[in-house]
Amino acid sequence: MALIVDLEKRLGDFHLQASFRVEHEALALLGASGCGKSVTLKCIAGILRPDAGHIELDGTVLFDSAAKIDLPPQQRRVGYLFQNYALFPHMTVAQNVRAALRHCPRQERRQTAQQLMEIFHLTGLEGHYPAQLSGGQQQRVALVRILAAKPSAILLDEPFSALDACLKYQLELELEAILEDFGGSVLYVSHDRGEVQRHCRRLAVIDNGLVGRVTTLPSLLAHPVTVAEARMAGCRNFTACTIHAGMLKAPAWGLNFPCSKADGTYTLGLPDGAVAPGDILQGQVERSMADDVTATTLLRLSTGETLLLSLPLTQCPSVGSTFSFTPRLEAMLLLPSP
Amino acid sequence: MDWFPLWNSLRIAAISSFFVFFTGIAAAYYVARLPRVIKGVLDVVLTLPLVLPPTVVGYLLLLVLGPRRVVGAWFLELFGFKLVMTWWSAIFATSVVIFPLMYRTARGAFEAFDETLSHAGKTLGLSNSYIFWRIRMPCCRQGILAGAVLAFARALGEYGATSMIAGYTPGKTATISTTVYQLWRTNQEQEALTWVLINMAISAVVLLAVNMLERRQRTPQRKERGHGSHR
């Protein structure tokens, strides 16, 4: 019993390729905005039609291009939490919830809606219109409305992007409880690694329409295997490099060092953790922004390239001064070229 | 004073507005879903009566409905009456002239509609007709009503096409606008002025209604009903 997704969709120059499987768990799709997260969700919900592929939910085929199956969204039993919650603005909270109960006999709707609203602490708000609610209340109404429709899977599209930071944690706790009770497949789309870490054990990074492998966050942080994963793991500096006869050359950074990997072209990543005292690389500090713990520093190398590093405040150099360090080779990331 | 022109104008405007209300909304809804090229062509065709002189519309209608033309002759043969020079002939003329007003305002309202609401409805299992009648239409209500009122006002003032296709027969096809012209032509200035004032009063009321509808559209409806926002 799972949500099985394998689809392909072209929209202009954009090419989405998504293949993954969501057990009865919360799986996250982690990626920057515009990388195809929402398109993936819309294909699963039946709002967009994939060009090819197969989508299956708990044994029911929702879409199959070969067998010419394409269930309308109404029959897919897929709940979709939209980024703006998509509450019907001309209906009250109670009417919004009751609208999703149209599968129930008429006389039961009012009572069922009342029960749901009590469970989710919406009593007192039944007569309010969506525009009269706070962002957090709107989200709760949207979730209750989804649950009222009794979905087999829930898709969450950046559920916290529209909320103030101070509200966010309270709501995240509530969502966590709702997801635990739900028990079906949940696909959680976000650009925020912290959110994903709090709600999902497994995740896949999506980059420019391509959904990568499904992995866990600790393993992603420890061993990213693509540039997109490395970027999500916090690495901000990448350059092209070649390995030839046991020597790795990254000309843009002026780096040459022995490397035992197979000859070829790679992308070299320099995460913050690879910065160690030394003088192999030198650059001038162009800009620096400090917070409580670290200073985000823009370093211009003698080759003209820039590096963006988070340095501990204690060793934070001033703007205009020179900063030198030695990259720890074992912490550098050697990734396939995209 | 003979009140027939007022009654005739009102029934012509009401009946043609009624037809155009539904056809205009249907056209707006379906044209918006067509491929771009067809949409562009249809949009021009459907909006054309708005910019054409009403006499040109009247001429084109006579080309089709006249007793010796295709549709007109066929109708005469089949049912034994003419399509032109009767009071209800003016319904054809006004309907064509006011159609673009309804079509364009409804389209504007539909285009401003947030499609995610329709997507949300579908994923919640709501039928397409429920989404259209209970979600899309109420959300676009103000714009559509404003279009209908505007179309009605224009129908009331239609002169050019009406005079060509229905003519002016006192007590039979006379409307306010054709009566004003006829009275002025025959030097009955006092009577003409009375009808002018009646017409201006009706139009002012209608435009007031449009303004009120449009203002309500700009300020979201839910804020009026509630007691301010709780943000």
Side-chain angles (χ1 to χ4, degrees):
Chain A
M1 297 301 248
L3 171 65
I4 301 163
V5 177
D6 178 15
L7 62 87
E8 208 173 314
K9 170 92 186 158
R10 274 178 200 280
L11 284 169
D13 289 340
F14 180 75
H15 189 191
L16 173 72
Q17 288 163 285
S19 183
F20 54 87
R21 189 187 162 96
V22 192
E23 304 296 337
H24 284 180
E25 60 170 342
L27 178 86
L29 287 186
L30 186 61
S33 48
C35 66
K37 293 175 295 183
S38 292
V39 177
T40 310
L41 296 192
K42 284 184 175 143
C43 284
I44 297 171
I47 296 163
L48 285 176
R49 183 207 295 261
D51 297 333
H54 177 92
I55 303 170
E56 192 183 316
L57 174 58
D58 292 348
T60 310
V61 177
L62 305 183
F63 177 84
D64 191 297
S65 50
K68 297 223 187 307
I69 296 173
D70 184 13
L71 287 190
Q74 283 94 336
Q75 291 171 24
R76 292 195 177 199
R77 306 179 65 86
V78 171
Y80 195 137
L81 184 71
F82 290 86
Q83 240 177 84
N84 64 356
Y85 312 133
L87 296 175
F88 304 138
H90 59 293
M91 295 185 186
T92 62
V93 168
Q95 286 169 333
N96 264 283
V97 175
R98 283 208 296 271
L101 285 168
R102 291 180 59 79
H103 57 90
C104 295
R106 183 175 289 273
Q107 56 274 23
E108 286 173 24
R109 281 179 210 159
R110 191 170 291 270
Q111 210 194 339
T112 314
Q114 199 56 42
Q115 283 170 353
L116 275 167
M117 287 186 289
E118 269 164 33
I119 296 169
F120 293 101
H121 315 293
L122 289 171
T123 28
L125 296 175
E126 297 95 334
H128 286 56
Y129 286 89
Q132 297 171 273
L133 304 177
S134 70
Q137 289 168 329
Q138 288 184 24
Q139 192 196 58
R140 207 180 309 148
V141 176
L143 273 168
V144 171
R145 197 175 66 166
I146 288 169
L147 294 172
K150 293 225 179 296
S152 302
I154 295 182
L155 312 176
L156 304 167
D157 192 356
E158 300 267 8
F160 301 108
S161 65
L163 298 174
D164 296 339
C166 52
L167 258 173
K168 218 179 104 163
Y169 289 99
Q170 168 78 32
L171 283 156
E172 281 197 37
L173 287 171
E174 284 180 15
L175 179 75
E176 190 54 33
I178 292 173
L179 293 186
E180 264 169 31
D181 283 351
F182 172 61
S185 300
V186 175
L187 191 56
Y188 187 116
V189 147
S190 176
H191 65 274
D192 185 322
R193 204 178 74 198
E195 262 177 38
V196 164
Q197 191 165 18
R198 291 189 283 278
H199 300 292
C200 308
R201 210 180 58 78
R202 302 199 308 147
L203 64 98
V205 170
I206 173 166
D207 179 51
N208 197 22
L210 188 67
V211 177
R213 61 173 181 153
V214 174
T215 176
T216 62
L217 198 67
S219 113
L220 175 94
L221 294 178
H223 308 287
V225 297
T226 62
V227 173
E229 283 191 8
R231 203 169 262 137
M232 276 303 157
C235 179
R236 282 170 297 191
N237 303 291
F238 299 94
T239 188
C241 70
T242 54
I243 299 178
H244 182 67
M247 277 302 280
L248 182 149
K249 288 186 182 157
W253 291 348
L255 272 181
N256 288 304
F257 53 84
C259 177
S260 56
K261 287 267 169 59
D263 287 8
T265 315
Y266 295 88
T267 297
L268 187 66
L270 175 73
D272 294 329
V275 175
D279 55 1
I280 300 282
L281 282 178
Q282 279 160 7
Q284 202 173 24
V285 177
E286 282 207 340
R287 238 170 248 161
S288 186
M289 283 186 313
D291 61 22
D292 302 350
V293 215
T294 58
T296 306
T297 307
L298 186 69
L299 206 62
R300 189 167 293 280
L301 301 175
S302 50
T303 57
E305 290 290 308
T306 54
L307 294 178
L308 194 58
L309 299 170
S310 280
L311 303 173
L313 275 186
T314 47
Q315 46 168 283
C316 170
S318 55
V319 172
S321 67
T322 306
F323 179 75
S324 9
F325 67 97
T326 296
R328 287 195 302 127
L329 297 185
E330 66 280 12
M332 302 270 276
L333 304 168
L334 197 59
L335 306 160
S337 286
Chain B
M1 186 165 156
D2 174 21
W3 289 100
F4 178 78
L6 174 64
W7 153 241
N8 196 31
S9 279
L10 284 175
R11 69 176 170 185
I12 290 169
I15 296 170
S16 49
S17 303
F18 179 80
F19 279 135
V20 164
F21 180 76
F22 293 102
T23 50
I25 288 173
Y29 182 72
Y30 287 109
V31 168
R33 273 157 184 69
L34 291 171
R36 231 178 52 197
V37 180
I38 308 174
K39 183 160 87 178
V41 173
L42 263 181
D43 203 43
V44 168
V45 172
L46 295 177
T47 312
L48 211 53
L50 188 68
V51 290
L52 284 179
T55 47
V56 171
V57 174
Y59 178 86
L60 291 173
L61 278 172
L62 282 176
L63 272 189
V64 180
L65 304 178
R68 269 171 284 170
R69 307 291 179 176
V70 197
V71 180
W74 176 77
F75 223 83
L76 190 60
E77 198 183 323
L78 211 65
F79 300 104
F81 57 86
K82 287 191 208 169
L83 286 176
V84 296
M85 297 302 150
T86 65
W87 75 264
W88 42 265
S89 306
I91 293 170
F92 300 127
T94 34
S95 296
V96 172
V97 171
I98 67 174
F99 178 84
L101 287 171
M102 188 67 225
Y103 162 71
R104 289 203 82 92
T105 32
R107 222 189 72 182
F110 282 148
E111 276 167 3
F113 177 75
D114 177 7
E115 275 313 315
T116 49
L117 296 182
S118 140
H119 297 156
K122 286 182 184 175
T123 57
L124 291 170
L126 303 176
S127 69
N128 289 334
S129 70
Y130 182 95
I131 291 169
F132 184 84
W133 291 109
R134 305 288 295 278
I135 296 168
R136 192 182 297 268
M137 287 294 274
C139 287
C140 301
R141 187 181 64 210
Q142 315 283 9
I144 286 168
L145 280 180
V149 175
L150 207 58
F152 179 78
R154 179 71 186 81
L156 217 49
E158 219 302 298
Y159 173 78
T162 305
S163 71
M164 285 179 77
I165 201 165
Y168 172 79
T169 318
K172 282 214 172 92
T173 67
T175 64
I176 299 178
S177 54
T178 52
T179 304
V180 167
Y181 177 70
Q182 194 60 30
L183 292 173
W184 171 81
R185 213 170 61 93
T186 54
N187 266 332
Q188 293 169 273
E189 296 245 352
Q190 202 56 48
E191 290 85 343
L193 185 65
T194 313
W195 282 112
V196 165
L197 292 176
I198 291 172
N199 199 341
M200 282 172 72
I202 299 173
S203 303
V205 168
V206 167
L207 286 178
L208 210 63
V210 174
N211 278 350
M212 282 165 66
L213 285 171
E214 283 187 340
R215 196 167 316 129
R216 274 181 56 191
Q217 190 177 25
R218 274 196 296 274
T219 51
Q221 41 156 330
R222 53 255 181 183
K223 287 219 171 109
E224 292 166 26
R225 292 193 206 160
H227 324 282
S229 141
H230 292 213
R231 252 166 238 281

